[in-house]
Amino acid sequence: MKIIVAGTGFVGLCHAAVLSETGHEVYAYDVDAQKIAAYNSAQREQIERYVNEPGLAQIIAENINRYLFFTTDIESIIDGADAIFMCLPTPPQPNGSSDLSYYDKALEYIAPLLAQRKDQRRVVIINKSTVPVGTARRLENILKKHNVPNIGIASNPEFLPEGDAVEKSRRPDRVVVGADTEEDHKILRRCYSQFVNHVRIAYIETTPETAEAIKYVANTLLLTYVSFWNGVGARLGETFPNVRMEDLKRGVTADNRISKWGSYVSNGAGGSCFGKDIQSLIWQFKSNNVATDLLEAVYRINEYQKTYLIDRAIQESTANFNHKTVALLGLAFKKQTNDMRDSSALKVVEALLARGVKEIRAYDPLAIHEAKRFLDPSKNHLFEKITYHNSVKDALKGTDMLFISTDWEEFRGLSGTIEQMVQPPYLIMDGRRMIPDYRDLVEKGYEYIAVGSPYMHDEETVS
Ligand SMILES: NC(=O)c1ccc[n+]([C@@H]2O[C@H](COP(=O)([O-])OP(=O)(O)OC[C@H]3O[C@@H](n4cnc5c(N)ncnc54)[C@H](O)[C@@H]3O)[C@@H](O)[C@H]2O)c1
């Protein structure tokens, strides 16, 4: 099939690459010429500057100019297309609603081209982005306005988790396709022939609106579960002496009905989707006069959790943030990605700077390039206080306190490195519970606060 993927960010690039592996002729289109030039170079470092996913650069190198083509010129490739996957940004607006302007702009540009195409065979426009329920219909109206002949619309939300995007694109748990007609479902089945009758992959055919709703329910439910552990599990570990978080988690999730995924406590869930999607669903409900109490509580708990350890430090520690030097380990929103969108580390930086720290010495194995973009001193002169380092040890040098914000494996069990690099009085704020033997550090005079660990003044009473 001839397939166009419009938008080559995390979702579009992974989707285009994995589709090309199955022998489709895939044209990945983006308005960002620098991005397209980087992908066309087929050089790993160039590609990973934009999307850093294990295995992705290799698929691109193997398929480029055979099954996979990158372009900024959709006009030259639109003729003969069977399917156009829209993988465009849908960021939140200040009121929480989804900004659909990228969609409108792209569609207003593409629709007249579709109307004029020489080959008038059926083409389906498929939303892969997370879009409010009813967006496929909005898209249909734009196409109708431009009198595009022989066109179908569909919704095919993406569920890939960053850090494991290639694997999950190759073997998703489910493929959800919402379309109006059998003809359009048939086209989608041909796109996804490797999944349709797969024994372990649920291939679900439904209406466009149901497909759109499935994505919102799935994402907000995951965030609800994470927030339950943060808002209830962690509080139990903090409030009552001798409650051990790791045992609590194992005991609860030994029940098959309760998910192991998400049963961790942390300084909040970030990333480009959770916060944006829950805000959008709240807005969609509010616009229809539906109560949103549960969703609002979940959103609030998650946001609060991001900097909660700093509040705890102020209450429990003797440390004062003013003019202090802080090591920040982890900038990406989770391990195995360089993505910093809505990362908890951004909130941590903001909170530390607001409390007058002198310097933040940051280290992340993948996200430093991204961090410099997000924390650009030309946007806020306080970001000049952030310095970037090449290792955990370098970041720790000369610091008064440490904040661990991302769950990179190399941050696990850091007590030896901490003892080697910094001496008490020293405050450790562990947002990811990466130091299981922290009591040894406490005995040596370090102050330690983790999500779910006892309040410091209770620590002496714990055996
Ligand atoms: N990132 C994820 O893990 C993830 C997972 C599931 C779903 N989603 C959803 O998928 C959508 C895309 O997310 P993303 O992370 O890939 O976004 P992204 O910002 O990384 O990529 C979007 C791309 O679209 C391009 N673009 C913008 N306007 C365009 C236009 N008019 N024509 C062509 N290209 C255009 C941008 O240049 C960019 O490369 C969002 O709705 C998101 O919620 C994301």
Side-chain angles (χ1 to χ4, degrees):
M1 296 179 84
K2 180 172 180 180
I3 296 174
I4 295 174
V5 175
T8 60
F10 272 87
V11 169
L13 189 64
C14 293
H15 187 56
V18 170
L19 275 178
S20 78
E21 278 190 306
T22 62
H24 293 303
E25 199 174 293
V26 182
Y27 292 84
Y29 154 71
D30 206 296
V31 287
D32 185 333
Q34 283 183 335
K35 224 177 230 193
I36 291 297
Y39 300 157
N40 264 328
S41 78
Q43 296 297 309
R44 187 174 159 174
E45 311 81 71
Q46 295 277 327
I47 296 166
E48 289 184 349
R49 274 191 57 197
Y50 293 98
V51 181
N52 196 324
E53 283 292 329
L56 181 61
Q58 195 184 335
I59 305 179
I60 293 173
E62 283 167 4
N63 292 288
I64 195 159
N65 298 331
R66 282 186 340 124
Y67 292 115
L68 180 60
F69 306 86
F70 291 101
T71 183
T72 53
D73 176 14
I74 196 169
E75 211 170 328
S76 66
I77 52 166
I78 207 157
D79 240 17
D82 298 289
I84 304 179
F85 285 92
M86 308 293 276
C87 305
L88 304 174
T90 52
Q93 308 209 73
N95 63 10
S97 65
S98 301
D99 177 0
L100 292 176
S101 62
Y102 293 91
Y103 257 84
D104 291 348
K105 206 166 156 204
L107 250 278
E108 291 289 352
Y109 180 62
I110 294 172
L113 301 175
L114 286 168
Q116 291 156 21
R117 85 208 125 104
K118 288 189 222 92
D119 176 344
Q120 300 250 313
R121 76 216 252 186
R122 191 154 185 92
V123 55
V124 190
I125 311 281
I126 306 141
N127 279 341
K128 215 163 188 23
S129 302
T130 307
V131 287
V133 181
T135 301
R137 221 46 78 193
R138 170 191 175 116
L139 204 140
E140 190 177 35
N141 290 337
I142 298 179
L143 294 165
K144 271 189 191 150
K145 191 180 80 187
H146 288 274
N147 297 316
V148 181
N150 208 9
I151 191 112
I153 49 119
S155 169
N156 168 222
E158 180 55 67
F159 298 93
L160 62 79
E162 286 186 23
D164 197 20
V166 168
E167 218 22 60
K168 280 292 183 193
S169 297
R170 281 174 171 159
R171 268 170 285 279
D173 299 326
R174 79 296 222 182
V175 176
V176 175
V177 175
D180 289 322
T181 66
E182 172 58 18
E183 193 179 9
D184 295 337
H185 273 300
K186 249 189 201 160
I187 292 176
L188 266 299
R189 270 177 234 140
R190 281 178 58 215
C191 287
Y192 288 131
S193 53
Q194 78 272 33
F195 300 140
V196 175
N197 289 316
H198 198 287
V199 282
R200 277 193 305 276
I201 297 170
Y203 190 86
I204 298 161
E205 293 185 339
T206 182
T207 65
E209 286 78 1
T210 314
E212 289 163 345
I214 287 172
K215 175 68 193 182
Y216 280 103
V217 174
N219 253 13
T220 52
L221 189 56
L222 291 175
L223 186 60
T224 302
Y225 189 63
V226 168
S227 296
F228 187 90
W229 275 100
N230 279 332
V232 178
R235 294 301 97 86
L236 278 165
E238 290 155 0
T239 309
F240 300 106
N242 251 342
V243 174
R244 295 186 184 159
M245 286 316 300
E246 279 65 31
D247 295 347
L248 181 72
K249 185 168 84 177
R250 284 187 14 242
V252 171
T253 59
D255 184 332
N256 281 337
R257 294 169 304 173
I258 298 178
S259 166
K260 289 188 175 44
W261 181 92
S263 64
Y264 40 77
V265 298
S266 71
N267 60 320
S272 66
C273 294
F274 279 147
K276 157 176 99 68
D277 294 350
I278 198 164
Q279 287 183 79
S280 174
L281 189 56
I282 290 170
W283 174 263
Q284 291 172 57
F285 278 145
K286 278 192 169 158
S287 323
N288 287 284
N289 299 318
V290 177
T292 55
D293 312 29
L294 173 64
L295 294 176
E296 288 191 62
V298 169
Y299 179 67
R300 215 174 36 245
I301 288 167
N302 189 51
E303 288 306 298
Y304 171 65
Q305 198 67 14
K306 291 179 180 174
T307 53
Y308 160 74
L309 283 188
I310 294 177
D311 292 346
R312 264 190 71 180
I314 288 164
Q315 282 159 23
E316 296 169 43
S317 158
T318 49
N320 176 345
F321 287 85
N322 213 15
H323 297 299
K324 291 290 169 6
T325 300
V326 189
L328 174 59
L329 295 183
L331 295 159
F333 84 91
K334 66 173 184 182
K335 66 181 173 185
Q336 307 292 20
T337 181
N338 63 339
D339 197 345
M340 279 200 62
R341 287 177 289 182
D342 210 17
S343 172
S344 299
L346 293 170
K347 284 275 159 64
V348 171
V349 164
E350 242 173 61
L352 291 171
L353 292 173
R355 284 180 170 75
V357 300
K358 184 170 77 185
E359 183 186 353
I360 299 174
R361 294 174 66 84
Y363 167 68
D364 186 287
L366 279 188
I368 287 182
H369 188 274
E370 278 300 280
K372 289 180 178 167
R373 205 163 62 78
F374 275 86
L375 302 166
D376 180 352
S378 71
K379 290 184 203 153
N380 177 348
H381 71 95
L382 288 177
F383 294 155
E384 279 164 10
K385 294 183 174 189
I386 307 166
T387 55
Y388 297 95
H389 302 273
N390 289 325
S391 67
V392 171
K393 281 188 176 175
D394 273 356
L396 284 171
K397 251 180 222 162
T399 54
D400 305 292
M401 48 183 82
L402 161 67
F403 198 110
I404 304 176
S405 186
T406 314
D407 53 342
W408 286 104
E409 289 306 327
E410 67 175 285
F411 302 160
R412 206 172 285 286
L414 271 186
S415 34
T417 315
I418 291 172
E419 278 185 57
Q420 191 190 337
M421 298 303 298
V422 287
Q423 297 310 311
Y426 191 89
L427 170 66
I428 301 159
M429 290 162 282
D430 185 352
R432 298 284 171 166
R433 294 184 70 84
M434 299 302 267
I435 310 180
D437 56 351
Y438 72 89
R439 289 210 171 89
D440 297 347
L441 288 171
V442 173
E443 269 170 27
K444 289 173 185 152
Y446 293 87
E447 289 190 313
Y448 179 88
I449 303 174
V451 182
S453 72
Y455 296 122
M456 283 204 304
H457 53 80
D458 292 340
E459 187 73 17
E460 300 96 63
T461 63
V462 177
S463 57

